[in-house]
Amino acid sequence: ELGNSREITDYYNLILNEGWAADTGGPVTPIDNCPHVVEESSSHVKISPDQLPLHPASTACSGRLAEDSKLPAAANDDSKKPLATTESTGLPPCGAVGENWQCLECGVIRCSRYVHSHALQHYDMTLHCVHVSLADLSVWCHACQAYLSTTTGATGQYLRPLVQRLEQLKFAPVTITLQLQDNGTSNN
């Protein structure tokens, strides 16, 4: 007999995280009533649209790599303190670009579990549970273990302004200005 949906999600994540099976995709139904977004007294969405990165697709992860450069350095992932420099920690910056998530509580940008798991470590250490993907602009709640609707329900009402701003930043039309130089010759 299958357990509740939270247990199923936990088992599924264990299988993926341990490498026992590959994530081959499938349908995703975002929830539109995440309590971590809609309850004002305990909302985990505290950043404003002006705190989003100007270039979402090329913003690097600000986490730190562990000494062996393969495992993330959880001990150095504390968003309540200023990020230590490479010189003071001796650990290299992650710098990953592409699969990054921004914490909607404090604004830090960390890489996905498919890179070095800095975003997941940030949640584990801070309990900042709501993050937006800078790659596909989806929103994930670690506490609910679910994607969140950005268009419907109470969750969508709170998240839509942030996602709309990210869409503007990510997909803004590029304007190229060409300046022709007059080399003093005439075609007459």
Side-chain angles (χ1 to χ4, degrees):
E1 178 179 328
L2 291 175
N4 65 36
S5 63
R6 174 65 186 216
E7 289 175 334
I8 293 169
T9 301
D10 288 345
Y11 284 122
Y12 180 78
N13 287 332
L14 174 67
I15 290 167
L16 292 178
N17 291 337
E18 292 298 320
W20 298 334
D23 185 356
T24 58
V28 175
T29 305
I31 63 172
D32 63 5
N33 60 348
C34 172
H36 306 97
V37 173
V38 299
E39 292 179 10
E40 284 190 39
S41 63
S42 61
S43 179
H44 289 267
V45 179
K46 295 182 178 169
I47 70 167
S48 64
D50 64 329
Q51 293 173 283
L52 297 168
L54 293 179
H55 306 286
S58 60
T59 302
C61 172
S62 58
R64 296 283 169 188
L65 295 176
E67 291 182 41
D68 67 2
S69 296
K70 292 181 182 173
L71 300 174
N76 292 296
D77 188 14
D78 183 355
S79 67
K80 293 180 173 69
K81 297 179 187 173
L83 185 66
T85 64
T86 302
E87 293 78 25
S88 66
T89 64
L91 300 173
C94 176
V97 176
E99 279 285 329
N100 291 332
W101 293 78
Q102 183 170 19
C103 173
L104 294 182
E105 188 160 347
C106 69
V108 301
I109 296 171
R110 300 289 196 258
C111 61
S112 80
R113 67 181 179 149
Y114 297 111
V115 182
H116 295 290
S117 297
H118 286 130
L120 181 58
Q121 286 188 359
H122 177 70
Y123 164 66
D124 288 342
M125 294 193 69
T126 64
L127 298 181
H128 294 176
C129 58
V130 183
H131 296 157
V132 63
S133 167
L134 300 179
D136 65 12
L137 308 185
S138 61
V139 180
W140 176 260
C141 177
H142 288 282
C144 292
Q145 289 287 300
Y147 283 99
L148 306 182
S149 174
T150 60
T151 58
T152 62
T155 299
Q157 176 184 339
Y158 285 93
L159 296 175
R160 191 70 199 141
L162 291 169
V163 174
Q164 282 178 328
R165 180 64 181 141
L166 278 172
E167 288 169 350
Q168 291 170 348
L169 293 167
K170 187 171 181 176
F171 302 113
V174 176
T175 304
I176 299 174
T177 304
L178 298 176
Q179 185 175 8
L180 300 176
Q181 293 181 351
D182 183 6
N183 62 8
T185 61
S186 173
N187 289 338
N188 296 21

